[in-house]
Amino acid sequence: MSEIKPITKEMRDQLRSPLPSQAFSINSAKSFLTAIKPIYIIERLNDVFGVGSWTTETNVEYADAETGMVVVRVKLLIPEYGVSIEGFGGNDNGGKGKKGFDYGDAYKGAHTDALTKSASYLEIAI
């Protein structure tokens, strides 16, 4: 088994460095909150740890096709650095009766919400 590497000061500085302004938008459901575009979180993880060096495990905690609500628990894993962080995320896509309802999109939204939360424990976008 390989030795777990420490996260260096340089890596921590890179993790905490500000995201570009285009990474943020107004949360459409709660205008008093800011939403972070998940691709910027993914890019930061790739830049600091390397493409293919991290992964996620996802468990569906709740899903209701009638309301479109999905809640997932995501574990962010970076084995080389001993990182294992869990976060919860949810998405309400409007349910089966809503025009354009996409259950897959609800799962994707819940997953990226949880990934963003998990990444915040690594100081990304705090």
Side-chain angles (χ1 to χ4, degrees):
M1 182 172 182
S2 299
E3 187 174 324
I4 293 175
K5 295 180 180 179
I7 294 175
T8 66
K9 180 186 180 325
E10 292 77 18
M11 292 171 76
R12 188 166 178 212
D13 289 345
Q14 191 177 4
L15 286 166
R16 343 169 66 178
S17 67
L19 295 174
S21 61
Q22 61 266 32
F24 302 96
S25 61
I26 299 298
N27 183 313
S28 59
K30 298 174 184 170
S31 60
F32 57 91
L33 294 175
T34 302
I36 301 171
K37 296 173 185 160
I39 196 62
Y40 289 92
I41 301 298
I42 292 166
E43 180 180 51
R44 182 62 52 90
L45 289 167
N46 285 339
D47 287 347
V48 175
F49 297 105
V51 174
S53 68
W54 63 275
T55 189
T56 59
E57 291 177 359
T58 306
N59 291 308
V60 177
E61 300 295 321
Y62 177 81
D64 183 346
E66 293 301 317
T67 64
M69 186 65 188
V70 174
V71 177
V72 298
R73 179 171 31 111
V74 169
K75 186 183 289 187
L76 171 60
L77 299 165
I78 312 169
E80 189 175 2
Y81 292 90
V83 173
S84 176
I85 300 170
E86 285 189 339
F88 288 85
N91 188 283
D92 175 357
N93 201 322
K96 290 193 319 190
K98 182 180 175 190
K99 183 178 179 180
F101 171 66
D102 181 345
Y103 214 27
D105 192 54
Y107 277 98
K108 181 183 75 167
H111 183 273
T112 56
D113 185 38
L115 175 62
T116 299
K117 183 60 190 171
S118 295
S120 74
Y121 290 108
L122 290 172
E123 301 182 280
I124 299 174
I126 59 169

